[in-house]
Amino acid sequence: MRILHVVQLYHPVASGASRYFREIGERLAAEGHRVTVLATDACDLEHIWMPGRRRIETPVETFNGVQIVRLPIRRRPGPPILYPALRRLMTEISRLPGAAPLLRRLALWTPQWPGVEAFFAQYGPFDLVHATNITLDFAILPAYAYAQQRGIPFICTPFMHLGEPGSRAIVRYYSMRHQIDVLRQSDRVMVMTGVERDFLAARGVPRERLRVVGVGVTPEEIQGGDGARFRADHRVDGPLVLFIGALAYDKGALHLIEAMQRLWRDGHAATLALIGAPLAHFDAFYARLPAADRMRIRLLPYAPDAVKRDALAAADVFALPSRTDSFGIVFLEAWCYGVPVIGARAGGIPDVITDGQDGLLVRFGDVAGLAQAIRLLIGDRALAQRLGTAGRAKTLRDLTWERVYARARAVYAEVGGANTTGCCATFGGA
């Protein structure tokens, strides 16, 4: 089977979507299917709308049996604020009946992705298209159009960011009329959680086409971290609170620093480690911190996997109080080490963390509540161990990539079996 994955940010980018498609695509390739990934040249998300961010120079390569083709994006002239301003305008236009055609045109106005049509001509034909990240619709729309033109199955994993319950602040960027139209017409929509499934079903996406697939971990790959080495290398003495994710407001990184400042003012000697790609507004926030607070923070923006594993082994608490996570693979990685986790009551996280059983949940932006949750887990080591142990057991039982792939593969078989030819055509066996 000839499969196209459209993933805006892909290997070596350390994003949840990149990991998800790597795990599925590499397993499909190992079974004998031909898997091609169409990606942008962005190494940082902000590269999509902001010059000067990191990009990947290699246009074509094969990695772990999967062919990767990266097409550069092109932005309209103007300041970086142009893109978020356009997207905000689109959310307002989306309130109007019949706005979908205009929204589709605006989605392709900036950024532009020249070379897509030439890509389909050179690397196709394909038997199935699977695209992702519904908010980065400049890439989804041409992939959907290609599938429609060729009459082949189209699957979407939207990675909806639902935000806080009752608030449109985040979800409006993921549920515009043209985006929901694509999902309604997709052959299957693979979602992360039941929360996401129910949200889309309520907006007219046929429930019979929705499949909860989720994400996972491979515990053997996560294990092996050396906590003592991390503490020695980064001068950590005492409790360690760890954050792994994009260093951004919506991920809760700023709130976490503010919560730690409260603990430091109260005399707690905990250290905060931050691992992830910083966005520009985070850099500005961090630069304004008092020097004494920065001394208590270990900022490791682009740490390699080995350092992440060491940090997980060293951590006493893992905190990601985000409102823009569909699932949160990093919670599972922390659980593999028996580390208790703190998340926000936002997005799909309440379907991942069971409050009080395998982690703690706080309201997004509630700095006082976040500080109290950290204080509780640092002070009550029996509770911390109980939560971490329960999370580890759940991960090993239900949340491995092998289980996720089995669910994803079943979805491919539902829509792709009748449209394939050749020795590796069907999903009954490569």
Side-chain angles (χ1 to χ4, degrees):
M1 190 175 192
R2 299 161 298 186
I3 299 167
L4 173 63
H5 287 166
V6 180
V7 192
Q8 295 85 346
L9 283 77
Y10 192 71
H11 171 81
V13 181
S15 72
S18 173
R19 188 68 188 186
Y20 173 85
F21 277 89
R22 273 194 58 192
E23 294 290 345
I24 293 174
E26 290 172 12
R27 284 174 168 81
L28 288 169
E31 290 187 3
H33 301 283
R34 192 190 81 183
V35 181
T36 301
V37 169
L38 174 60
T40 74
D41 62 342
C43 194
D44 290 325
L45 177 63
E46 286 180 313
H47 175 75
I48 290 172
W49 64 86
M50 182 184 299
R53 309 305 281 183
R54 298 186 310 155
R55 57 184 297 272
I56 303 171
E57 302 290 343
T58 307
V60 181
E61 66 174 313
T62 298
F63 180 78
N64 288 351
V66 173
Q67 183 180 46
I68 308 168
V69 180
R70 300 185 182 92
L71 300 181
I73 59 173
R74 184 172 66 198
R75 310 172 205 87
R76 294 279 183 174
I81 193 65
L82 177 63
Y83 177 77
L86 174 66
R87 302 302 291 188
R88 175 65 181 271
L89 174 63
M90 290 172 65
T91 67
E92 296 302 320
I93 293 173
S94 184
R95 296 173 180 265
L96 304 176
L102 174 59
L103 290 169
R104 285 193 291 270
R105 290 195 294 272
L106 291 174
L108 299 174
W109 188 74
T110 189
Q112 295 177 323
W113 213 16
V116 171
E117 295 303 325
F119 164 84
F120 289 131
Q122 179 178 353
Y123 291 94
F126 299 100
D127 300 309
L128 180 150
V129 178
H130 184 179
T132 191
N133 289 328
I134 195 67
T135 192
L136 300 177
D137 38 22
F138 72 92
I140 288 184
L141 291 173
Y144 172 72
Y146 171 82
Q148 290 283 293
Q149 291 162 7
R150 291 196 58 84
I152 61 175
F154 180 82
I155 300 172
C156 189
T157 296
F159 285 114
M160 302 287 295
H161 290 172
L162 303 178
E164 309 99 306
S167 171
R168 293 186 64 250
I170 296 298
V171 73
R172 59 184 170 171
Y173 294 100
Y174 297 78
S175 56
M176 288 184 263
R177 290 182 184 271
H178 69 297
Q179 295 166 337
I180 295 296
D181 279 355
V182 168
L183 297 177
R184 286 172 178 163
Q185 297 173 57
S186 298
D187 293 277
R188 293 293 184 275
V189 178
M190 294 164 59
V191 297
M192 297 294 100
T193 64
V195 172
E196 187 179 358
R197 175 198 59 207
D198 295 345
F199 175 88
L200 290 174
R203 279 148 188 83
V205 179
R207 187 174 284 271
E208 63 271 17
R209 299 183 195 170
L210 290 161
R211 298 290 183 273
V212 178
V213 173
V215 295
V217 291
T218 301
E220 309 84 72
E221 294 179 0
I222 301 300
Q223 297 295 337
D226 187 332
R229 178 170 57 200
F230 184 88
R231 288 176 172 270
D233 289 348
H234 300 282
R235 306 178 312 282
V236 176
D237 184 17
L240 175 65
V241 178
L242 175 62
F243 173 103
I244 301 176
L247 296 171
Y249 174 87
D250 287 332
K251 291 291 186 179
L254 279 59
H255 299 133
L256 179 56
I257 291 175
E258 292 170 343
M260 295 301 296
Q261 287 177 311
R262 291 187 177 224
L263 296 179
W264 294 331
R265 286 198 302 268
D266 291 342
H268 291 274
T271 298
L272 173 62
L274 301 171
I275 297 177
L279 273 66
H281 69 267
F282 175 87
D283 287 334
F285 172 85
Y286 188 79
R288 294 193 300 267
L289 291 176
D293 290 346
R294 290 200 301 270
M295 289 180 63
R296 297 173 179 268
I297 298 173
R298 304 297 179 261
L299 181 60
L300 308 169
Y302 300 104
D305 288 342
V307 173
K308 293 179 186 178
R309 290 193 294 269
D310 287 353
L312 288 166
D316 295 284
V317 176
F318 178 83
L320 179 68
S322 166
R323 65 175 176 177
T324 53
D325 271 271
S326 303
F327 193 101
I329 294 175
V330 284
F331 292 121
L332 313 187
E333 294 175 344
W335 277 335
C336 282
Y337 282 88
V339 178
V341 303
I342 301 172
R345 291 189 183 91
I349 302 306
D351 260 18
V352 179
I353 299 172
T354 304
D355 189 33
Q357 294 186 24
D358 47 43
L360 299 179
L361 294 174
V362 300
R363 183 169 52 86
F364 175 80
D366 181 2
V367 172
L370 178 57
Q372 178 57 29
I374 296 169
R375 184 183 293 112
L376 176 62
L377 293 179
I378 289 176
D380 189 341
R381 298 312 299 164
L383 172 64
Q385 182 176 10
R386 177 172 63 80
L387 297 180
T389 299
R392 175 177 167 78
K394 180 166 72 174
T395 300
L396 298 179
R397 182 180 65 247
D398 299 324
L399 302 172
T400 65
W401 280 120
E402 287 299 328
R403 290 185 176 274
V404 172
Y405 177 62
R407 294 191 288 269
R409 192 176 185 276
V411 176
Y412 280 53
E414 289 175 10
V415 300
N419 296 325
T420 57
T421 58
C423 67
C424 300
T426 69
F427 284 89

